[in-house]
Amino acid sequence: MEKILVGLKRVVDYNVRVRVKGDGSGVETEGVKMSINPFDEIALEEALRIKERGEANEVVVVSIGSGEAQQQLRTGLAMGADRAILVETVATPDPLSCAHALLEIVKRENPELVILGKQAIDNDNAQTGQMLAALWGRPQGTFASKLEFNGGSVRVTREVDAGLDVIEVDLPAVITADLRLNEPRYVKLPDIMKAKKKPLDQIPLAELSVPDSPAIAETGFEPPAARERGIMVDDVAGLVGALNDKGLL
Amino acid sequence: MAKVLLIAEHDGTSLNPSTAKCVACAAEISGAEIEVAVFAESAGAIAAQAASLDSVSRVLSNEATANRGALAAVLAPQIVAMADSYDYIFGPSTTFGKDLMPRVAALLGVNQISDIMSVEGERVFKRPIYAGSAVVTVEAPAGVPVVATIRTASFRAVGAGNSAPVDAVDVSADIPDHTRFIASETGKSDRPDLQSASRVVAGGRALGSEENFDLIYKLADKLEAGVGASRAAVDAGYVPNEMQVGQTGRIIAPDLYIAIGISGAIQHLTGIKDAGTIVAINKDEEAPIFEVADIGLVGDLFNVVPELTEALD
Ligand SMILES: Cc1cc2nc3c(=O)[nH]c(=O)nc-3n(C[C@H](O)[C@H](O)[C@H](O)COP(=O)(O)OP(=O)(O)OC[C@H]3O[C@@H](n4cnc5c(N)ncnc54)[C@H](O)[C@@H]3O)c2cc1C
Ligand SMILES: Nc1ncnc2c1ncn2[C@@H]1O[C@H](COP(=O)(O)O)[C@@H](O)[C@H]1O
């Protein structure tokens, strides 16, 4: 394989307790720690392992977002990616537009494999990979927990509600990474230094031919309905009693 | 009029309970006329089950060998070929629907709404984001079909007292051969299905081993409960992946959920926020799980769980 393309989205770190703004206009992201979407780290790790096994020559990371996403791309380069592309835009577009933008990058780069995360943990959409595969007219292997290459095709083990599914897809294809595909490596300090010299191209989103898609409007944000704080019991007898009181036994 | 095409989920032999929950959601759209499409190798029994669901006006049965294994790349073009006369195209927010519906949406050139948790208007819905830390109200654009997945834990299944007509359909669509179904490795268990069980007992990292998880199974069997787990327990290999509850596992809404040795990370809690009663057993009184538990017991699970199992005799 010549090239693998990996999507890296800049998102609020998964450890941050996200709060809705007082006026309901969005969630608080000011001064909050930002990271690579955890599933995208797994996607990149997988691409790097494929390359390290000698099954691919180049790993390119791409992010669509503001200039700040350069931080996440640099982290990706420090992990081991060869090159980065930032598709620059003020507000991160919706999944269909992201998929169109990724398709434009795919047309320029001609990768045999695109690995994305299964979902971005900010909007929890889980759409972009499937949309890219559809627009590209290529296979999708979503929620992947294992990849086995065999010439021009790849066997994908997928985590599904009932257990595991195995499918075979011809390359080029889009894979979306689930949690158990691998455990991403830690970035070492010397690699961060080295990453500064690796190429990072910036392309304004407006330069790519991304069609306007009818947008889904977000008209208000609210905190989730709170559960009332319950009772504490002292022992098993107390627990059985409380369950009985609620008619649950 | 609001014509809804709902894509049925099944395992090749019977209808998944997620479909009846999606019907309940669709029925909340005023004037909804709900048609259920069954794509299968052999659709008969599945279509009959779909036809029995209340509020369904028609079942479209589409039988083809290629439909085996429910591959998104195979189903999506067929759905698109049928899409013309519908205002809404819905699927469940299960791994089946999440895989399929975005592919359908992209082929139709529209965005997709993920995880509808409530219907607020003809084109207005609520959905959770940030692992359930926030709820956003979304409005789909007019003039294009609404393609969406439905968060099944937010809806109660409709009844099954209907007998809607079943029509065989034959859609002409280009079916790609670049994607092939190989196998399903699904866990077989005699216990109630995690997704639809009215009681669920779940264990976390604290169980410490696959053998120790027996404590969870024994309690579950006493309660005739399904069994779930945290991601930490799955990652450690105590239980298979289909038992994971949470943001990236199953989203469930049992009447009773008993969390044992689970700390209560936000990614776990998002999977159980619709449970009727949450019971937490944890030795750390500061564990975040106690913030959402209806009944909490601080104690060592290795003492508490056997004692509880015995007390239920
Ligand atoms: C992108 C992403 C997605 C995720 N998705 C999910 C998901 O879908 N589901 C999920 O569960 N997690 C998910 N996680 C992981 C989540 O953040 C937590 O790490 C995980 O839920 C912790 O599992 P746990 O509670 O079993 O383990 P811990 O957090 O280690 O908790 C163990 C608990 O057991 C208690 N304990 C220890 N010994 C005993 C004893 N003898 N008796 C009683 N109690 C005891 C401890 O006090 C502690 O509270 C996700 C994380 C990320 C980053
Ligand atoms: N703005 C973006 N930049 C780069 N990759 C993205 C972007 N948005 C989504 N992706 C990729 O698509 C995956 C799924 O995202 P989503 O469909 O938003 O849940 C993510 O895990 C990323 O790999």
Side-chain angles (χ1 to χ4, degrees), chain B residues 19-281:
Chain B
T19 302
K21 295 180 179 178
C22 291
V23 173
C25 172
E28 286 186 22
I29 295 166
S30 71
E33 187 186 328
I34 304 167
E35 304 195 345
V36 179
V38 177
F39 294 89
E41 197 175 10
S42 140
I46 305 159
Q49 285 170 341
S52 76
L53 298 177
D54 294 344
S55 307
V56 169
S57 62
R58 188 159 85 113
V59 175
L60 305 166
S61 148
N62 184 316
E63 290 189 325
T65 331
N67 291 340
R68 189 169 84 99
L71 298 166
V74 169
L75 300 192
Q78 301 182 67
I79 294 166
V80 169
M82 297 167 67
D84 243 10
S85 56
Y86 297 95
D87 307 293
Y88 301 82
I89 305 175
F90 284 168
S93 182
T94 55
T95 50
F96 162 75
K98 286 187 200 170
D99 181 42
L100 174 62
M101 302 312 286
R103 191 158 182 126
V104 173
L107 293 177
L108 291 171
V110 301
N111 270 295
Q112 189 222 260
I113 300 173
S114 296
D115 306 316
I116 288 180
M117 58 191 283
S118 71
V119 177
E120 304 291 321
E122 236 178 278
R123 281 170 181 267
V124 185
F125 308 92
K126 286 189 179 178
R127 63 174 299 257
I129 53 173
Y130 289 94
S133 300
V135 172
V136 59
T137 303
V138 295
E139 183 163 0
V144 294
V146 180
V147 181
T149 61
I150 290 155
R151 187 177 181 279
T152 53
S154 300
F155 298 91
R156 278 197 174 271
V158 293
N162 194 7
S163 53
V166 178
D167 296 328
V169 290
D170 196 4
V171 293
S172 61
D174 272 338
I175 309 289
D177 58 7
H178 54 48
T179 306
R180 297 170 290 278
F181 175 74
I182 305 292
S184 266
E185 296 162 17
T186 52
K188 277 177 200 67
S189 152
D190 298 334
R191 294 196 176 80
D193 172 52
L194 176 58
Q195 195 82 53
S196 42
S198 61
R199 294 165 172 172
V200 170
V201 180
R205 192 198 308 271
L207 269 298
S209 71
E210 191 180 349
E211 293 73 46
N212 288 345
F213 224 84
D214 251 3
L215 292 172
I216 303 292
Y217 294 123
K218 285 200 180 110
L219 175 59
D221 289 345
K222 270 286 168 61
L223 288 164
E224 291 169 34
V227 178
S230 70
R231 172 186 171 193
V234 176
D235 282 1
Y238 308 160
V239 295
N241 68 283
E242 63 266 25
M243 283 167 57
Q244 181 173 318
V245 171
Q247 184 185 21
T248 55
R250 312 290 281 274
I251 308 283
I252 59 175
D255 298 333
L256 174 63
Y257 185 79
I258 307 185
I260 298 171
I262 292 177
S263 60
I266 178 94
Q267 295 89 1
H268 186 79
L269 299 183
T270 193
I272 58 169
K273 62 190 325 156
D274 295 303
T277 297
I278 296 175
V279 174
I281 298 171

Side-chain angles (χ1 to χ4, degrees), chain A residues 101-154:
Chain A
L102 288 171
L103 180 66
E104 289 302 303
I105 301 299
V106 161
K107 286 185 191 157
R108 293 179 179 204
E109 298 281 341
N110 288 309
E112 287 88 349
L113 195 63
V114 178
I115 315 182
L116 303 181
K118 80 159 176 182
Q119 83 192 59
I121 61 161
D122 47 6
N123 282 316
D124 286 331
N125 275 321
Q127 300 176 8
T128 309
Q130 298 88 312
M131 289 183 157
L132 171 61
L135 300 175
W136 192 12
R138 295 304 308 165
Q140 65 190 47
T142 54
F143 325 139
S145 64
K146 192 172 165 197
L147 302 180
E148 295 160 281
F149 293 89
N150 182 6
S153 67
V154 51

